[in-house]
Amino acid sequence: MAACVRSWSAEEGGVSGSSSPEALAVTLAGLVWRRLVGRPVTWGDYAAMDPAKAARYEEVERNQFAVAPEGLSAEQFEDMGLTFEGLQPGGEYRPVTLENRVEFVRLSRLSLVHSMDRQIDALRTGMVEGGVPVQALGLMTPEELEIRVAGAPLIDLDTMKRDTTVSGSTGQQEIFWESVQGMSMSQRSLLLRFATGRSRLPARVRVELESTVNSEPGYRPLPTAATCGFTIRVPTYPDTVSMREALVFAVENCGTFEKG
């Protein structure tokens, strides 16, 4: 990771740095980026990472469950078999009851929020030892660090156009970009992976739009890709709908590798 954010230098009014042209193909939860830049991590950050688990603790705290919206009795609560294990000394011998459930949830949330501190701090130490100044991390937002290390999680069309070289007729180029504009964010991500092996920007892509039409009956050409050359070859299509359907089919049904 440090290799992608090396050559950092302090300048007037802040920090700037140059990174290697290849961002890493990693997807980390928001709380990881927050701790990497020294921001406090809250229960809201953890809940965003694991909403299902967060919802279960909320049920316990409120004593309001999907299977028992009116709440559990004291006896039913203890029958769940929850304890304070790992939350306090001797916690394995202290059952969670209707009376102490709020304390249990509070301690559980605190434990979960800090459950990855050691691993994240080790990652931060590796980045600093690899050449990223501590001051640089402290001056960045979590979002800025994520983009520098892993690329942009959202596939912005204008950015994609800037980083893509398209060859072919003007009409086919217009159809191609209209096709991409009509794709969902996940489909754009798959299109990048189809071409380059990675699913985030920045990604330099070459698109070769063919100019010949095969009129053979039943012939339904599909786009192809040369991942090692970051290239997509797209047959000629009569309209935006046809090209987008072909692109989506190709990227959703082609196995590939994620480039790290």
Side-chain angles (χ1 to χ4, degrees):
M1 182 177 288
C4 291
V5 282
R6 64 179 183 267
S7 302
W8 299 67
S9 62
E11 293 186 348
E12 290 184 334
V15 172
S16 69
S18 60
S19 63
S20 69
E22 291 290 339
L24 291 180
V26 295
T27 302
L28 301 176
L31 67 83
V32 176
W33 300 112
R34 286 189 64 83
R35 188 167 179 86
L36 284 174
V37 299
R39 301 289 180 86
V41 177
T42 67
W43 174 247
D45 297 318
Y46 185 92
M49 180 184 72
D50 195 342
K53 181 176 288 188
R56 291 197 294 271
Y57 281 101
E58 187 172 335
E59 287 181 334
V60 172
E61 183 178 42
R62 293 183 176 182
N63 188 22
Q64 190 175 34
F65 302 84
V67 296
E70 300 303 320
L72 302 178
S73 65
E75 183 178 358
Q76 290 173 324
F77 217 95
E78 292 186 37
D79 285 344
M80 289 196 296
L82 298 173
T83 70
F84 282 76
E85 183 176 2
L87 301 177
Q88 56 185 205
E92 64 270 25
Y93 304 110
R94 185 187 180 192
V96 177
T97 67
L98 196 60
E99 289 72 26
N100 65 23
R101 72 183 191 281
V102 175
E103 179 188 4
F104 166 75
V105 171
R106 178 180 63 80
L107 293 175
S108 296
R109 286 172 172 168
L110 184 63
S111 175
L112 288 169
V113 164
H114 296 287
S115 60
M116 295 187 293
D117 285 0
R118 185 168 60 87
Q119 293 88 342
I120 299 173
D121 289 347
L123 181 59
R124 179 184 169 95
T125 298
M127 294 176 67
V128 172
E129 291 178 350
V132 181
V134 174
Q135 297 89 339
L137 291 175
L139 290 173
M140 297 178 69
T141 66
E143 295 77 16
E144 287 171 339
L145 180 61
E146 179 181 9
I147 290 173
R148 289 202 180 195
V149 173
L154 299 179
I155 312 300
D156 175 70
L157 188 62
D158 289 337
T159 303
M160 194 173 179
K161 285 183 177 181
R162 183 196 66 197
D163 293 343
T164 303
T165 302
V166 183
S167 62
S169 69
T170 301
Q172 284 294 294
Q173 289 189 39
E174 291 177 354
I175 290 177
F176 174 77
W177 286 119
E178 288 173 358
S179 299
V180 176
Q181 185 175 19
M183 290 181 175
S184 67
M185 201 62 63
S186 62
Q187 289 169 343
R188 292 181 190 177
S189 180
L190 288 174
L191 181 64
L192 287 180
R193 193 177 68 172
F194 182 67
T196 69
R198 53 170 287 105
S199 55
R200 287 191 175 197
L201 295 172
R204 302 289 180 180
V205 180
R206 290 173 52 204
V207 178
E208 298 177 357
L209 300 170
E210 297 179 359
S211 58
T212 58
V213 179
N214 190 322
S215 59
E216 182 180 341
Y219 179 70
R220 296 187 62 188
L222 289 172
T224 59
T227 307
C228 57
F230 299 170
T231 302
I232 304 175
R233 297 182 178 89
V234 184
T236 296
Y237 295 97
D239 51 53
T240 300
V241 173
S242 300
M243 183 180 289
R244 183 168 65 246
E245 288 179 349
L247 284 168
V248 170
F249 182 86
V251 302
E252 289 184 346
N253 291 278
C254 177
T256 184
F257 63 91
E258 188 77 13
K259 185 176 180 182

